[in-house]
Amino acid sequence: MSSYGRCYTKEVNGSSLPDKKPTVVFVLGGPGSGKGTQCANIVQHFGYTHLSAGDLLRAEQNSGSENGEMIKNMIKDGQIVPSEVTVKLLLWAMEESGNDKFLIDGFPRNEENRAAFESVTGIEPEFVLFFDCPEEEMEKRVLNRNQGRADDNIESIRKRFKVYTQSSLPVIEYYDSKGKVRKIDASKPVEEVFEAVKEFFTSLDDKVAA
Ligand SMILES: Nc1ncnc2c1ncn2[C@@H]1O[C@H](COP(=O)(O)OP(=O)(O)OP(=O)(O)O)[C@@H](O)[C@H]1O
Ligand SMILES: Nc1ccn([C@@H]2O[C@H](COP(=O)(O)O)[C@@H](O)[C@H]2O)c(=O)n1
Ligand SMILES: [Mg+2]
């Protein structure tokens, strides 16, 4: 790693952003709404790099980092890790990827995340993909996920739903007020959800090509 997010910070050591700002799509929705599942499909079809904030935090937790214990406790409790930690991990991953098109999944999760990313990078998302799904369906999916996640248990899930409603939905509403939200009915089967997702990315490709 050459430096901490050097390319994607507004100004570090007097150097500014690369000529062309990266394309960023934020992927939001409740726990188990299908963000990770659909991001894998988008990567295959549209050449984006998928960065899941939760996955980056879990990797940091397991890396022996000084923040490991704090991250572990906050994830178990469904709490949102301070932006200072998460934005740094995202910037490292963006720089390391060598790509200029990113799906940022599960971020920004609260107003602090949103403001920190914007002030550090100056990047505005192209749009926000919002997976809208009823809580009962999300709960069922998370409890059946079987990926060994420490927060896929009923106690943690209830806390995550509460944090989602109190802290994450207001961020979606903020972007909605700016006309940036592209809402998807995420309760449908995976293939049908992807058909709806595809339309937004095809439109963006057409806009870029025009
Ligand atoms: N449309 C769908 N219909 C039924 N099951 C689905 C659908 N989309 C995803 N799933 C399943 O639901 C579970 C949760 O999906 P996924 O991990 O993609 O959600 P997520 O939004 O990334 O959740 P989290 O925020 O907890 O990381 C997985 O087991 C996945 O296979
Ligand atoms: N911006 C974020 C994203 C995630 N977290 C923590 O990770 C947990 C799991 O996230 P998933 O997206 O993989 O479900 C989440 O509940 C938070 O504890 C975070 O702090 N900040
Ligand atoms: Mg996920």
Side-chain angles (χ1 to χ4, degrees):
M1 188 74 52
S2 55
S3 66
Y4 149 49
R6 180 172 45 80
C7 294
Y8 293 117
T9 52
K10 268 200 291 202
E11 198 169 302
V12 175
N13 297 331
S15 68
S16 54
L17 276 169
D19 287 348
K20 188 173 170 292
K21 277 199 183 185
T23 300
V24 166
V25 173
F26 289 143
V27 182
L28 300 177
S33 57
K35 301 179 295 295
T37 303
Q38 295 299 331
C39 282
N41 287 334
I42 301 164
V43 165
Q44 294 291 318
H45 284 72
F46 297 96
Y48 282 72
T49 293
H50 172 211
L51 301 176
S52 154
D55 287 350
L56 290 170
L57 287 165
R58 282 182 282 273
E60 179 73 358
Q61 176 202 312
N62 294 327
S63 73
S65 139
E66 57 180 0
N67 291 320
E69 200 56 28
M70 179 265 288
I71 294 171
K72 183 178 170 191
N73 292 333
M74 293 196 86
I75 288 182
K76 186 88 200 296
D77 238 12
Q79 298 301 309
I80 299 168
V81 172
S83 305
E84 187 193 331
V85 174
T86 314
V87 170
K88 189 170 75 177
L89 294 173
L90 284 169
L91 291 174
W92 275 342
M94 288 169 78
E95 189 173 346
E96 198 169 45
S97 75
N99 201 350
D100 63 355
K101 291 161 65 170
F102 302 98
L103 298 169
I104 303 193
D105 159 3
F107 182 98
R109 212 54 160 241
N110 62 7
E111 173 57 21
E112 192 218 1
N113 274 184
R114 190 200 65 71
F117 187 83
E118 192 180 304
S119 83
V120 171
T121 67
I123 297 170
E124 275 275 325
E126 199 61 39
F127 58 82
V128 174
L129 194 60
F130 168 38
F131 291 108
D132 188 27
C133 196
E135 209 168 281
E136 316 81 74
E137 174 66 17
M138 295 195 284
E139 182 176 308
K140 199 171 69 188
R141 290 181 189 176
V142 170
L143 288 175
N144 288 324
R145 180 155 48 185
N146 283 328
Q147 288 177 0
R149 277 179 51 163
D151 56 351
D152 280 354
N153 57 77
I154 194 64
E155 204 186 323
S156 297
I157 290 165
R158 294 268 147 83
K159 292 179 181 167
R160 288 156 70 196
F161 283 147
K162 199 166 169 195
V163 169
Y164 172 65
T165 306
Q166 289 178 346
S167 304
S168 309
L169 275 177
V171 175
I172 296 165
E173 282 159 10
Y174 166 83
Y175 284 118
D176 199 26
S177 75
K178 300 184 93 187
K180 294 232 168 198
V181 171
R182 308 289 180 266
K183 184 167 151 178
I184 305 269
D185 179 356
S187 65
K188 299 206 166 129
V190 173
E191 300 71 24
E192 276 183 53
V193 175
F194 188 54
E195 284 308 307
V197 166
K198 257 202 296 206
E199 290 191 20
F200 293 126
F201 285 89
T202 306
S203 303
L204 178 56
D205 277 358
D206 291 349
K207 191 181 109 186
V208 171

